[in-house]
Amino acid sequence: MATITLKGIGKRFSRGAVAVRNVDLEIHDGELFVLLGPSGCGKSTLLNIIVGLEEPTSGTVSVDGRSMNGVEPGKRNMAMVFQSYAIYPHMSVRENLAFPLRIAGVPAEERERRVAEAAEILELEELLDRRPATLSGGQRQRVAMGRAIVRNPVAFLLDEPLSNLDARLRGQMRAEIARLHRRLGTTTVYVTHDQTEALTLADRMAVLNRGEVQQAGTPREVYGRPANRFVAGFLGSPPMTFMRGERDGDDVVLPLGRATAPGGGSDVEVGVRPEDVREAGSATRASADALPRPGVGQAEAPSDPSALLRFRARVELLEWLGAETYAHVEVEEQDARAEGAGWGRKREDGRPRPEPGPSGERPQRLVARLSPGSPVKEGDVVDLEVEARRLHFFDPDTGARLGDA
Amino acid sequence: MSDRGTALERLFWRATVLVVLVYAGLPLAWIVSLSLKPAADLGDGHLVPRHVTLAHYGAVFANPHFPAALRNSLGIATLATLLAVALGVLAAYAVVRLRFPGRRLFLGGALAVAMFPPVAVIGPLFDLWRRVGLYDTWAGLVLPYLSLTLPLAIWILAAAFRDLPWDLERAARVDGATRLQALRKIILPLAAPGVAAAAVLVFIFAWNDFMFALSLTSTDHARTVPAVLAFFTGASRFQQPTSAIAAASVVVTIPVVVLVLLFQRPIVAGLTAGAVKG
């Protein structure tokens, strides 16, 4: 049981590469904290710094207020599960589980009792006398977990623990880790590049990129209000679609229509999640499954119809997944269908239309999640709509989130 | 067609194996044969002795110098092996696991030492040893053996350590082990084939060495078997000590054979384990 505090952690390798930059995080007692990021983002280095296998070049790691800098990894009483499991191949499962206790000088009787206890929790009893080489991937994973829990550590550190398992087993072990954490209540730091693992397991999480924390918070906060363009694009599958919004007064003009945008007078980058796009006119049904996400902090849906962006798009590709359908669509030029309504592109001052930039030359593509029962076929032209409050606005230069919406 | 191909292939491999076996085994067989022949039959040209006698073996052990030489050989070779493996393990660990300036230079330097012609140092070493009192002592032989075999040991052990997943050692350290404990309990057992290979090679080098043993010793104090063999005499001044030398050769070959047989399994196991890993 421990609160782990990271203050100003930086790690520069001798060759000059910077792995971690100025990381401040507080991992609360008993929570499961996920470090999420693409490979090479420094999340494993951060974990190694927490456990003491690597020393930070700057900053402090403290556990319950005590600085851990310079403390040997073995003296920190943390347990780690490695991506490769790192089970000692020359020892039986029993000896593997007992190893940390033997090193700590725990008497044989006590050792046996605790090994039996851990084996029971992880259902390893029948495997105790087997050699690691004869175990399946899932079993090895459980042995590694067993070796971690056997000595009642103050924290578990899991480094991509599921990435060597096949998809089915991964889901199973994910649930098992969640159960184990609930049962033991030990502070856990979990490193992964898999957003599903992060969103399902985390009490709180931090998204890392290039050695820097991009955002920390609960999964709902991070998913619902991504702090910047990187987080917005990294979380979500299929990912958010980004497009350019050209400033026109308080509004911005998008390929999808016109929306009120926060931020100064400059252009913005706008992100749309596939699940926020729906077939026009399906609002009644859609609003039922588009309940405001808790924790997102959004007000009641504005009933203002102008807060709805409607646009016409051609379906290029349909991905039917059983429970849902993803439609990859190409947004049609809006001028071609200026049938009134508040969403048409206006150019009342007669200025030449601002150049949409190099990406604007090509038609805007978008992914929309449709109901699996939708009759839409590839090649169809459909009317789609997005609620303006579902749009995410980012500064095109810094990538930072704009406004509160 | 393919049947004929495989038959031809089999024939080729069998013939090759036979040639190698004869090439390696015949001299050995000849020495064993010589050691068993009575003196009169020595020149008869038969591989299988017509009369078998163990008299030469009796004579070898009756030689007052031989048991002492055997003791010296065993002691010196064992000491050199233990020291070389112990130092080699530490050095190889440092080379593989630690970052320190001059790592490559160290490995290159070790290789250079291994290539150094030992003959070149014998003269100076003789003078030096006499002055510092190491002449005709165990230490006087253990030191050069250690120095000449250590580079080889370091290279073999470094290769063995490099193949081990680093995560195992990191896991051990997180589990509470110090670096030294991790080395002893995790790395060494897993690198056992490499350690055995290094030990066997060092031992055989020290056991078989003739040049240093001959030059740096003078009495039963430290003279080893290969050197003593050179001082064997025949039953009379007109007789070559051929049979006695052959018998003594057979005797000194036995420990090496036993050693290799003992360590063959871990060595082979290690090789195949490495081959199918991953």
Side-chain angles (χ1 to χ4, degrees):
Chain A
M1 303 293 140
T3 299
I4 301 169
T5 314
L6 308 181
K7 270 215 186 75
I9 295 289
K11 175 74 183 175
R12 180 190 297 272
F13 287 114
S14 50
R15 284 148 297 167
V18 177
V20 172
R21 216 185 294 258
N22 201 23
V23 169
D24 292 302
L25 284 175
E26 174 146 324
I27 296 153
H28 303 152
D29 185 16
E31 82 180 344
L32 199 162
F33 193 92
V34 172
L35 295 171
L36 175 70
S39 55
C41 72
K43 53 194 193 298
S44 290
T45 306
L46 203 53
L47 200 68
N48 286 338
I49 288 174
I50 293 174
V51 77
L53 286 171
E54 280 175 49
E55 280 295 316
T57 25
S58 64
T60 54
V61 178
S62 41
V63 174
D64 288 335
R66 273 186 309 127
S67 166
M68 284 290 140
N69 285 34
V71 176
E72 275 284 304
K75 298 266 183 290
R76 299 190 183 196
N77 195 20
M78 296 176 178
M80 187 154 170
V81 174
F82 291 80
Q83 183 175 0
S84 60
Y85 313 141
I87 302 173
Y88 310 127
H90 57 301
M91 300 181 188
S92 68
V93 170
R94 187 191 306 278
E95 289 165 329
N96 262 283
L97 295 187
F99 183 79
L101 303 176
R102 228 177 60 211
I103 293 280
V106 174
E109 248 173 73
E110 161 98 0
R111 214 155 65 202
E112 247 163 71
R113 191 179 60 70
R114 279 162 70 176
V115 167
E117 207 177 278
E120 193 247 303
I121 291 175
L122 288 158
E123 293 165 27
L124 289 168
E125 292 111 320
E126 261 127 66
L127 307 176
L128 279 177
D129 294 312
R130 299 260 295 268
R131 291 268 159 172
T134 66
L135 301 179
S136 70
Q139 290 168 333
R140 288 180 202 196
Q141 169 67 51
R142 290 219 301 276
V143 174
M145 294 292 301
R147 199 176 60 197
I149 68 173
V150 78
R151 61 190 189 130
N152 300 326
V154 297
F156 294 131
L157 307 173
L158 312 182
D159 190 1
E160 308 238 5
L162 304 184
S163 59
N164 280 347
L165 300 176
D166 64 54
R168 212 164 59 91
L169 211 49
R170 201 177 304 153
Q172 220 172 304
M173 285 307 299
R174 201 172 66 209
E176 208 159 308
I177 288 176
R179 258 200 304 277
L180 198 63
H181 177 252
R182 216 148 292 157
R183 171 165 177 177
L184 302 172
T186 307
T187 311
T188 303
V189 185
Y190 187 111
V191 162
T192 183
H193 63 265
D194 182 312
Q195 50 172 305
T196 316
E197 284 173 26
L199 295 176
T200 54
L201 285 174
D203 292 320
R204 288 194 313 132
M205 61 190 284
V207 181
L208 274 89
N209 188 33
R210 299 191 181 173
E212 282 175 299
V213 174
Q214 305 292 316
Q215 187 175 6
T218 66
R220 285 173 198 276
E221 283 164 4
V222 175
Y223 187 87
R225 290 171 41 76
N228 58 39
R229 196 186 177 288
F230 174 81
V231 176
F234 191 72
L235 279 178
S237 172
M240 191 182 269
T241 306
F242 291 99
M243 58 196 78
R244 188 85 171 185
E246 282 138 15
R247 178 64 63 175
D248 184 11
D250 276 347
D251 291 356
V252 286
V253 179
L254 303 172
L256 311 182
R258 179 178 268 273
T260 312
S266 54
D267 290 353
V268 295
E269 186 141 31
V270 179
V272 185
R273 288 206 190 276
E275 65 266 31
D276 293 332
V277 183
R278 63 187 179 221
E279 285 177 73
S282 64
T284 31
R285 193 187 62 215
S287 63
D289 69 48
L291 286 169
R293 285 183 288 268
V296 175
Q298 244 149 11
E300 281 299 297
S303 46
D304 178 8
S306 73
L308 204 61
L309 283 79
R310 287 192 158 201
F311 57 97
R312 183 161 287 178
R314 178 182 302 278
V315 178
E316 287 191 302
L317 179 72
L318 277 179
E319 291 175 328
W320 186 81
L321 297 174
E324 57 208 0
T325 297
Y326 289 105
H328 296 247
V329 303
E330 208 171 81
V331 179
E332 305 253 286
E333 276 290 330
Q334 294 186 69
D335 290 342
R337 49 184 182 89
E339 344 162 338
W343 43 262
R345 179 177 278 187
K346 292 185 205 139
R347 276 174 295 158
E348 60 276 283
D349 56 359
R351 263 190 303 157
R353 200 163 116 202
E355 274 310 311
S359 66
E361 306 292 339
R362 284 174 272 122
Q364 178 66 47
R365 289 203 166 78
L366 189 73
V367 182
R369 191 179 70 180
L370 307 180
S371 128
S374 162
V376 170
K377 288 190 295 296
E378 288 179 13
D380 284 1
V381 173
V382 290
D383 283 318
L384 299 174
E385 59 187 26
V386 185
E387 285 177 53
R389 68 195 176 95
R390 294 288 185 202
L391 299 177
H392 301 264
F393 297 98
F394 302 100
D395 184 311
D397 299 321
T398 64
R401 182 182 189 82
L402 293 173
D404 226 22
Chain B
M1 191 65 186
S2 74
D3 263 356
R4 237 180 53 138
T6 56
L8 256 177
E9 258 173 46
R10 270 215 307 273
L11 192 69
F12 169 77
W13 284 115
R14 280 180 187 179
T16 310
V17 168
L18 201 66
V19 167
V20 172
L21 272 181
V22 167
Y23 179 81
L26 197 60
L28 268 178
W30 198 263
I31 287 178
V32 173
S33 156
L34 280 180
S35 75
L36 294 172
K37 283 178 184 173
D41 292 355
L42 274 183
D44 64 1
H46 286 273
L47 180 59
V48 181
R50 280 174 300 178
H51 310 283
V52 171
T53 170
L54 291 175
H56 304 304
Y57 287 92
V60 163
F61 283 99
N63 183 320
H65 302 298
F66 190 75
L70 209 53
R71 217 172 32 243
N72 290 336
S73 268
L74 270 176
I76 289 169
T78 307
L79 265 178
T81 306
L82 288 180
L83 283 173
V85 169
L87 292 175
V89 161
L90 294 177
Y93 175 85
V95 164
V96 173
R97 292 291 192 245
L98 308 180
R99 305 204 157 273
F100 57 90
R103 219 167 106 250
R104 296 189 150 231
L105 199 70
F106 173 78
L107 271 179
L111 196 61
V113 170
M115 289 172 165
F116 198 80
V119 196
V121 295
I122 285 191
L125 213 51
F126 177 80
D127 284 337
L128 190 66
W129 268 198
R130 289 186 50 113
R131 265 167 213 251
V132 301
L134 283 175
Y135 182 75
D136 201 24
T137 62
W138 278 21
L141 283 183
V142 169
L143 272 177
Y145 294 164
L146 178 62
S147 315
L148 285 171
T149 54
L150 194 52
L152 186 68
I154 291 172
W155 275 80
I156 292 175
L157 290 165
F161 290 172
R162 213 169 272 136
D163 280 349
L164 295 180
W166 198 347
D167 271 356
L168 291 178
E169 191 206 341
R170 288 147 51 97
R173 291 190 57 213
V174 173
D175 281 344
T178 60
R179 273 187 193 274
L180 213 60
Q181 278 176 317
L183 180 67
R184 227 178 56 230
K185 300 194 181 205
I186 305 296
I187 297 180
L188 280 188
L190 291 173
V195 175
V200 166
L201 286 172
V202 174
F203 187 88
I204 290 176
F205 176 89
W207 185 260
N208 286 348
D209 171 72
F210 175 65
M211 215 164 41
F212 286 100
L214 189 67
S215 323
L216 301 177
T217 63
S218 57
T219 67
D220 286 350
H221 223 87
R223 189 170 275 167
T224 61
V225 172
V228 164
L229 285 189
F231 293 104
F232 267 23
T233 49
S236 75
R237 55 195 294 205
F238 305 108
Q239 218 179 338
Q240 286 290 330
T242 312
S243 307
I245 290 180
S249 298
V250 172
V251 171
V252 299
T253 310
I254 287 169
V256 178
V257 172
V258 168
L259 208 63
V260 169
L261 287 181
L262 266 180
F263 285 106
Q264 191 188 20
R265 261 190 52 190
I267 291 173
V268 172
L271 290 178
T272 48
V276 298
K277 189 172 66 187

